[in-house]
Amino acid sequence: MIVQRFLKHLKKRLRWKRSWLALGMFVLLGTAFWIGYESRGAAPFNPLDHAKKAVATLAHISSAEDVRLEKAIETLRAIQDQRESYLLKSYVCGEERSPLGLLASQPLIELQKKHPDWELAIGPNGDVTFMEHIEDLSPACKEKAVFGIDGSSNLSLFNGTPGPDNVIRTFFQLNIQQLETSLPPETVEHLRKGIRVTDLEEYNSVLSTFSDYAIEITERAMTMP
């Protein structure tokens, strides 16, 4: 019950942050129009031009995807034998790899055309792997994923009980002192023992809330290309 109340609190905070994000976007758009209006003497400001630029950007992205698909099909067309083939489902948390069997060039091409969003990879031994990106937690993560703190004060995701051998992913280092002075002791204790997440909403809620207590230098390092 305590964990459920805690997660509800996290979800409220996430909704609050989204509201501020929406307000920020509104202010940003308003500022852009105001700047355009103020600078109209120097150059005419036409919102339609900005809309056209946005469409052009989307078209560029679509074109890049088309090029990627064409290259994938070209690679598959060059295959002269049958290859061990796999589908790798890459989730926000976790992966699942399943065999597709021994496939020749044409069936592989048909599969790629049927699923143009799948990414193609050829392994060192010639194995063919299609990767599908899924915005969700894997079934295994839904059963066992736990947020907690590792030995270096990092917010990490664990496969079950938090421990050095169970780390799935590490996100950022936490400012423990700020965390302990800003949040109720029971909340910090929940994090130390591990907070179970069973769906993407809970996952994002926990991650969003504790990002407020990330050490700034760590956050900058994570955003570097």
Side-chain angles (χ1 to χ4, degrees), residues 6-14 205-206 209-210:
F6 175 61
L7 287 174
K8 286 181 181 178
H9 169 70
L10 294 179
K11 291 175 184 177
K12 287 180 181 178
R13 292 196 58 166
L14 181 61
S205 294
V206 175
T209 296
F210 288 105

Side-chain angles (χ1 to χ4, degrees), residues 7-47:
L7 287 174
K8 286 181 181 178
H9 169 70
L10 294 179
K11 291 175 184 177
K12 287 180 181 178
R13 292 196 58 166
L14 181 61
R15 287 196 294 269
W16 179 84
K17 288 186 177 185
R18 286 173 178 167
S19 297
W20 276 102
L21 179 61
L23 178 60
M25 290 296 294
F26 177 79
V27 172
L28 181 61
L29 287 171
T31 302
F33 275 88
W34 179 80
I35 291 173
Y37 176 79
E38 288 296 315
S39 61
R40 63 191 184 281
F45 178 75
N46 187 350

Side-chain angles (χ1 to χ4, degrees), residues 53 57 66 171 203:
K53 289 179 181 179
T57 300
D66 289 341
F171 296 94
Y203 175 96

Side-chain angles (χ1 to χ4, degrees), residues 4 44 58 68 72 83 89 123 131 139 147 180 183 200-202 215:
Q4 290 298 323
L58 292 174
R68 182 191 62 78
R83 302 285 182 90
K89 294 183 178 181
M131 181 182 290
F147 273 102
E180 293 176 338
L183 296 177
L200 189 59
E201 184 180 2
E202 291 178 351
I215 294 178

